[in-house]
Amino acid sequence: MTSAPELTFIQVPVSDPRVAPLLRELGDEYSRRYGRDAHAEISRYPDEEFTAPHGGLLLLLERGEAVAGGAFRRYDTATAELKRIWTHSAHRRRGLARRVVAELEREAAGRGYRRVFLTTGPRQPEARGLYLATGYTPLFDIEADPETIGPLPFEKHLREVPEP
Protein backbone atom coordinates (compact mmCIF):
# COMPACT_ATOMS: atom_id res chain seq x y z
CA MET A 1 0.00 0.00 0.00
CA THR A 2 1.35 3.42 -0.98
CA SER A 3 0.95 6.29 1.43
CA ALA A 4 -0.12 9.74 0.26
CA PRO A 5 2.73 12.21 -0.17
CA GLU A 6 3.13 14.75 2.58
CA LEU A 7 1.77 18.17 1.60
CA THR A 8 2.65 21.21 3.69
CA PHE A 9 1.88 24.90 3.35
CA ILE A 10 4.54 27.46 4.17
CA GLN A 11 4.40 31.22 4.02
CA VAL A 12 7.41 32.77 2.29
CA PRO A 13 8.54 36.11 0.89
CA VAL A 14 8.52 36.58 -2.89
CA SER A 15 12.33 36.48 -2.72
CA ASP A 16 12.34 32.85 -1.51
CA PRO A 17 14.22 30.84 -4.19
CA ARG A 18 11.41 28.28 -4.36
CA VAL A 19 9.03 30.95 -5.70
CA ALA A 20 11.00 31.90 -8.83
CA PRO A 21 10.53 28.62 -10.78
CA LEU A 22 6.76 28.67 -10.24
CA LEU A 23 6.46 32.32 -11.32
CA ARG A 24 8.73 31.72 -14.31
CA GLU A 25 6.58 28.81 -15.48
CA LEU A 26 3.44 30.88 -14.87
CA GLY A 27 4.88 33.74 -16.97
CA ASP A 28 5.87 31.33 -19.73
CA GLU A 29 2.39 29.84 -19.88
CA TYR A 30 0.65 33.23 -19.85
CA SER A 31 3.00 34.37 -22.62
CA ARG A 32 2.04 31.36 -24.76
CA ARG A 33 -1.68 31.76 -24.13
CA TYR A 34 -1.83 35.50 -24.77
CA GLY A 35 0.88 35.87 -27.40
CA ARG A 36 2.91 38.49 -25.54
CA ASP A 37 5.52 38.46 -22.79
CA ALA A 38 3.70 38.22 -19.47
CA HIS A 39 6.71 38.15 -17.13
CA ALA A 40 6.56 41.89 -16.40
CA GLU A 41 2.88 41.59 -15.48
CA ILE A 42 3.70 38.76 -13.07
CA SER A 43 6.15 40.97 -11.19
CA ARG A 44 4.36 44.33 -11.43
CA TYR A 45 3.44 44.52 -7.74
CA PRO A 46 6.05 45.32 -5.10
CA ASP A 47 7.04 42.25 -3.08
CA GLU A 48 5.93 44.00 0.14
CA GLU A 49 2.29 43.77 -0.98
CA PHE A 50 2.48 40.00 -0.46
CA THR A 51 3.79 40.14 3.11
CA ALA A 52 2.14 40.46 6.50
CA PRO A 53 0.18 42.17 7.82
CA HIS A 54 -1.83 42.84 4.63
CA GLY A 55 -0.75 40.05 2.31
CA GLY A 56 0.93 36.72 2.03
CA LEU A 57 2.48 34.23 -0.35
CA LEU A 58 1.96 30.53 0.26
CA LEU A 59 3.75 27.59 -1.22
CA LEU A 60 2.41 24.07 -1.12
CA LEU A 61 5.33 21.71 -0.66
CA GLU A 62 5.39 18.01 -1.40
CA ARG A 63 8.36 16.34 0.25
CA GLY A 64 10.03 19.75 0.37
CA GLU A 65 9.45 20.62 -3.30
CA ALA A 66 7.19 23.56 -4.25
CA VAL A 67 4.35 22.07 -6.32
CA ALA A 68 1.79 24.88 -6.11
CA GLY A 69 1.32 28.30 -4.62
CA GLY A 70 -0.56 31.54 -4.57
CA ALA A 71 -0.66 34.92 -2.96
CA PHE A 72 -2.99 37.61 -1.73
CA ARG A 73 -2.67 41.33 -1.25
CA ARG A 74 -4.80 44.05 0.23
CA TYR A 75 -7.44 45.27 -2.23
CA ASP A 76 -9.25 47.46 0.29
CA THR A 77 -9.74 47.35 4.06
CA ALA A 78 -12.26 44.49 3.87
CA THR A 79 -11.08 42.75 0.69
CA ALA A 80 -8.08 40.60 -0.18
CA GLU A 81 -7.14 40.10 -3.82
CA LEU A 82 -5.89 36.66 -4.80
CA LYS A 83 -2.97 36.64 -7.23
CA ARG A 84 -0.72 34.13 -8.99
CA ILE A 85 -2.44 30.91 -8.02
CA TRP A 86 -0.40 28.28 -9.76
CA THR A 87 0.24 24.56 -9.88
CA HIS A 88 3.48 23.30 -11.42
CA SER A 89 2.71 21.61 -14.75
CA ALA A 90 4.01 18.24 -13.49
CA HIS A 91 1.53 18.26 -10.59
CA ARG A 92 -1.79 19.24 -12.16
CA ARG A 93 -5.14 17.43 -11.97
CA ARG A 94 -4.61 16.52 -8.30
CA GLY A 95 -6.78 19.18 -6.62
CA LEU A 96 -3.79 21.19 -5.46
CA ALA A 97 -5.13 24.52 -6.73
CA ARG A 98 -8.31 23.99 -4.70
CA ARG A 99 -6.16 23.44 -1.63
CA VAL A 100 -4.18 26.61 -2.35
CA VAL A 101 -7.36 28.68 -2.79
CA ALA A 102 -8.84 27.32 0.45
CA GLU A 103 -5.64 28.05 2.37
CA LEU A 104 -5.41 31.57 0.94
CA GLU A 105 -9.01 32.17 2.00
CA ARG A 106 -8.24 30.94 5.53
CA GLU A 107 -5.18 33.20 5.74
CA ALA A 108 -7.12 36.19 4.42
CA ALA A 109 -9.98 35.59 6.86
CA GLY A 110 -7.45 35.28 9.66
CA ARG A 111 -6.12 38.72 8.75
CA GLY A 112 -9.61 40.20 9.03
CA TYR A 113 -10.63 40.25 5.38
CA ARG A 114 -14.29 39.48 4.76
CA ARG A 115 -14.26 39.37 0.96
CA VAL A 116 -11.93 37.98 -1.68
CA PHE A 117 -11.66 39.48 -5.16
CA LEU A 118 -9.70 38.13 -8.11
CA THR A 119 -9.49 38.28 -11.86
CA THR A 120 -8.43 35.66 -14.32
CA GLY A 121 -7.77 35.90 -18.01
CA PRO A 122 -10.22 34.96 -20.74
CA ARG A 123 -7.84 32.26 -22.03
CA GLN A 124 -7.66 30.44 -18.71
CA PRO A 125 -10.72 28.18 -18.69
CA GLU A 126 -9.16 25.98 -15.99
CA ALA A 127 -8.97 28.95 -13.61
CA ARG A 128 -12.51 30.03 -14.47
CA GLY A 129 -13.73 26.51 -13.70
CA LEU A 130 -11.77 26.41 -10.44
CA TYR A 131 -13.30 29.63 -9.15
CA LEU A 132 -16.83 28.65 -10.15
CA ALA A 133 -16.37 25.23 -8.49
CA THR A 134 -15.05 26.77 -5.25
CA GLY A 135 -17.96 29.15 -4.66
CA TYR A 136 -16.81 32.34 -6.35
CA THR A 137 -19.43 34.61 -7.88
CA PRO A 138 -18.62 35.78 -11.40
CA LEU A 139 -18.93 39.56 -11.75
CA PHE A 140 -19.47 39.21 -15.49
CA ASP A 141 -21.94 37.55 -17.85
CA ILE A 142 -20.84 33.91 -17.89
CA GLU A 143 -22.74 33.39 -21.17
CA ALA A 144 -20.64 36.01 -22.97
CA ASP A 145 -17.52 35.17 -24.96
CA PRO A 146 -14.68 35.65 -22.42
CA GLU A 147 -12.54 37.28 -25.12
CA THR A 148 -15.06 40.15 -25.32
CA ILE A 149 -14.82 40.77 -21.56
CA GLY A 150 -11.09 40.85 -20.91
CA PRO A 151 -10.07 40.05 -17.32
CA LEU A 152 -12.82 38.00 -15.68
CA PRO A 153 -13.60 39.30 -12.16
CA PHE A 154 -14.85 37.07 -9.36
CA GLU A 155 -15.67 37.62 -5.69
CA LYS A 156 -16.39 35.51 -2.66
CA HIS A 157 -17.62 36.66 0.71
CA LEU A 158 -15.75 35.03 3.55
CA ARG A 159 -17.63 34.00 6.62
CA GLU A 160 -16.13 31.53 8.99
CA VAL A 161 -13.57 29.68 6.96
CA PRO A 162 -13.43 26.07 8.15
CA GLU A 163 -10.19 24.52 9.30
CA PRO A 164 -8.66 21.93 6.96
Side-chain angles (χ1 to χ4, degrees):
M1 182 170 166
T2 309
S3 64
E6 183 180 327
L7 294 169
T8 309
F9 279 104
I10 60 168
Q11 195 155 153
V12 297
V14 176
S15 61
D16 186 291
R18 294 169 288 191
V19 174
L22 290 174
L23 292 181
R24 187 171 35 259
E25 187 183 36
L26 177 62
D28 291 348
E29 182 153 330
Y30 284 1
S31 296
R32 281 190 302 277
R33 287 187 187 212
Y34 294 99
R36 63 182 183 279
D37 186 6
H39 292 88
E41 170 60 25
I42 299 284
S43 60
R44 81 175 171 131
Y45 297 102
D47 294 356
E48 305 80 57
E49 291 198 28
F50 301 107
T51 60
H54 301 299
L57 190 152
L58 301 175
L59 291 179
L60 181 57
L61 304 180
E62 182 175 67
R63 294 185 201 99
E65 175 194 357
V67 295
F72 69 95
R73 63 189 278 274
R74 182 183 182 141
Y75 187 76
D76 63 36
T77 56
T79 307
E81 180 181 18
L82 299 190
K83 303 295 286 181
R84 313 302 178 239
I85 296 165
W86 186 247
T87 301
H88 186 282
S89 59
H91 298 278
R92 294 190 181 151
R93 311 288 311 153
R94 296 175 47 202
L96 301 179
R98 283 178 182 256
R99 293 178 78 149
V100 169
V101 169
E103 189 66 19
L104 289 168
E105 289 171 0
R106 272 190 283 286
E107 281 290 323
R111 305 268 180 93
Y113 293 113
R114 294 294 155 240
R115 176 178 172 258
V116 173
F117 173 79
L118 62 88
T119 60
T120 192
R123 296 181 187 170
Q124 295 165 247
E126 307 88 348
R128 177 182 165 155
L130 169 68
Y131 302 130
L132 290 171
T134 54
Y136 282 77
T137 301
L139 302 176
F140 60 93
D141 178 358
I142 62 170
E143 300 300 320
D145 175 1
E147 291 287 335
T148 66
I149 299 170
L152 308 175
F154 290 85
E155 74 173 352
K156 185 175 189 179
H157 292 274
L158 301 174
R159 302 210 189 327
E160 280 191 43
V161 180
E163 290 298 314

